[in-house]
Each structure stands twice: as C-alpha cells, then as structure tokens.
Amino acid sequence: PKLRDCDAGSIISAGLRGEISMGLSVALGEYSIVPYGNTAQFQIGANGLKRLCIRSKQYSKIGFYDVREGEMVGRDPVTREPIFKWKEDDERESLPIIGYYGYYQLNEDNNNFFQCIYWTREKVLRDADRYSKAFNYNTYQKLINGELSADEAKKLQNGSPWYGLPTSEAHTKMCLKTIAKQLLNDGLAPKEVRRAINIDNTEETSGEPVTYGDDVVAPIQSTATVEEEPTEKEMPVEVNAE
C-alpha cells in the first residue's frame, strides 16, 4: 500500500532496473520495489544474487538460510567452519532464529573452491544499524519489546522491511541479503554480482537511488497514479524466501 504514495516514475524505474537491466524477477523474490517516502527503490535480494551467480556458470552450489535455536552444534576444529544439525521444517518453524548461514562452491574449472559464512542475528542487526540509513538498532529493540505505541510501530514497519518481526518474510529477506553480500563480496564474484552489491550498498547507505554505467535507472517523469489493490483473485502468489 505504501507504493501508492510513491512517484509512479520511480516505481517504473525500479522495475526496469530489476527486469530489464539485471534480468531478474520480482515475482520470484529476486528483487523488491521498496518505498522510501515518496520514492520507490530497487533492492536486490539474496535470491537475486544467487540467480546472478548461477547465470555466471562459475558456481556449482550456493545457498542462504536462517539458523534456528539448537541447529548450530559447533565449529570444525581446523577450518572453523560452522557445523549444523538441521531440524525438520515443522519443528524449526516454532523456534527462534539465532543467526544466518550462507555458502557457495565454485565449479571444477575453479578448483571446487568452497566458502561459507555464519553470522549471529545480533551481528546482522548491528551491521544494518551501521550501514543502513533506514534502520536503527535501538529503535528496533524498542519495537520488539513492545515499548512503542501502535502508531509509532506502524510507521516504522511501513518505512523499512528491516523493522519487520524477526520471522517475517520481509525482515528475513533483508537479513539473508546481508549474508549473501558479505559472502560474495570476496573478490571472486563475477562482475555483474559485484556491480549489484555496489549499487545496493550505495543506496542502502545513502537512501537515494544511484546510477552505474548504462544501468536503466534514470527517474521517469510521470503523473500517472498507482492503481488500487488487486482483487483477491488477482493477488500474487507468495514465494518462499529460501
């Protein structure tokens, strides 16, 4: 609903960046069009970064997951890689999220190189507090603890997906994207992935859309209005974040 308050041209520009410039799909959760005040912005998701990696044909495996209480059982004594014992879906859904995990393995042409990352939930939120203009850690803790009024909570949750509840789809997508960017920002990622991460980092820090090279993001001047919400039959099908 907040997109109705955004300039229609900014919505179209965000869609052009995702669908045309980067060849991603909003329907598959590979990117989002997020309202910031009266301006809509493109934001790539963890699934979008995964898609770009797969398209490069350099990776044989790649994935990003939330980690629930009791699933991390230790670390390898030599490599310090985390060791997990995953619970069944019906059990884990009732458990609190304690962290986020991402990994990739390059193909045979790249010596099957394996890399992984695990961050606690606290570390992810601290990173967002430091780099995202739209998020404040202390304010979020007040929201989670019920210390804000209903109007204050609604305003925050409408302002940024970071302010969703810990297990909400929007909040989880932001946390998984943080892990994806940290994992892939190691100098080995293909040019298109590095470019997408740089754009997202710049926009998240500044809160303003940016243009890189020939990217299709120039604001489109329009006086059009966003149509009313679709009927129940027209509502899009939700796509699992994983």
Side-chain angles (χ1 to χ4, degrees), residues 45-127:
N47 284 344
L49 292 171
K50 182 191 297 186
R51 173 63 58 191
L52 295 179
C53 288
I54 294 172
R55 190 185 298 163
S56 74
K57 299 181 180 181
Q58 292 180 204
Y59 297 77
S60 60
K61 298 178 182 179
I62 185 170
F64 312 103
Y65 308 96
D66 63 63
V67 180
R68 305 290 174 131
E69 187 177 69
E71 290 186 323
M72 184 176 176
V73 296
R75 288 185 179 272
D76 184 283
V78 177
T79 66
R80 296 290 296 162
E81 292 177 2
I83 300 172
F84 301 102
K85 185 177 181 181
W86 303 109
K87 299 182 182 295
E88 295 297 327
D89 289 344
D90 56 350
E91 179 184 0
R92 74 190 309 269
E93 287 179 0
S94 63
L95 298 173
I97 296 174
I98 63 167
Y100 302 90
Y101 170 68
Y103 79 94
Y104 70 73
Q105 183 174 336
L106 298 180
N107 56 27
E108 292 184 356
D109 292 337
N110 293 281
N111 299 316
N112 296 312
F113 179 77
F114 178 85
Q115 183 71 282
C116 67
I117 184 174
Y118 170 75
W119 276 16
T120 64
R121 175 170 167 75
E122 176 77 10
K123 186 171 182 177
V124 170
L125 294 179
R126 292 291 186 184
D127 183 81

Side-chain angles (χ1 to χ4, degrees), residues 143-160:
L143 173 67
I144 296 301
N145 295 331
E147 299 174 14
L148 302 179
S149 67
D151 288 343
E152 289 174 324
K154 184 177 180 179
K155 183 177 180 180
L156 286 173
Q157 291 172 331
N158 284 336
S160 169

Side-chain angles (χ1 to χ4, degrees), residues 229-237:
E229 287 185 349
T231 63
E232 184 176 352
K233 290 183 179 180
E234 297 172 330
M235 290 296 289
V237 178

Side-chain angles (χ1 to χ4, degrees), residues 113-227:
F113 179 77
F114 178 85
Q115 183 71 282
C116 67
I117 184 174
Y118 170 75
W119 276 16
T120 64
R121 175 170 167 75
E122 176 77 10
K123 186 171 182 177
V124 170
L125 294 179
R126 292 291 186 184
D127 183 81
D129 179 69
R130 181 177 180 181
Y131 293 108
S132 177
K133 187 177 181 179
F135 181 76
N136 180 274
Y137 177 85
N138 292 330
T139 301
Y140 184 65
Q141 292 305 309
K142 291 180 180 179
L143 173 67
I144 296 301
N145 295 331
E147 299 174 14
L148 302 179
S149 67
D151 288 343
E152 289 174 324
K154 184 177 180 179
K155 183 177 180 180
L156 286 173
Q157 291 172 331
N158 284 336
S160 169
W162 273 115
Y163 286 108
L165 297 177
T167 55
S168 69
E169 182 180 5
H171 180 84
T172 299
K173 283 182 177 180
M174 297 300 288
C175 294
L176 291 176
K177 182 180 74 170
T178 298
I179 288 297
K181 291 196 300 183
Q182 291 295 325
L183 174 67
L184 296 170
N185 197 23
D186 59 0
L188 300 178
K191 180 180 179 181
E192 191 173 18
V193 174
R194 296 198 304 269
R195 173 171 166 266
I197 291 174
N198 286 336
I199 292 173
D200 194 81
N201 284 341
T202 302
E203 289 188 341
E204 194 168 21
T205 301
S206 67
E208 297 292 337
V210 297
T211 301
Y212 278 80
D214 58 354
D215 201 18
V216 185
V217 297
I220 297 174
Q221 300 300 320
S222 172
T223 57
T225 58
V226 181
E227 295 182 358

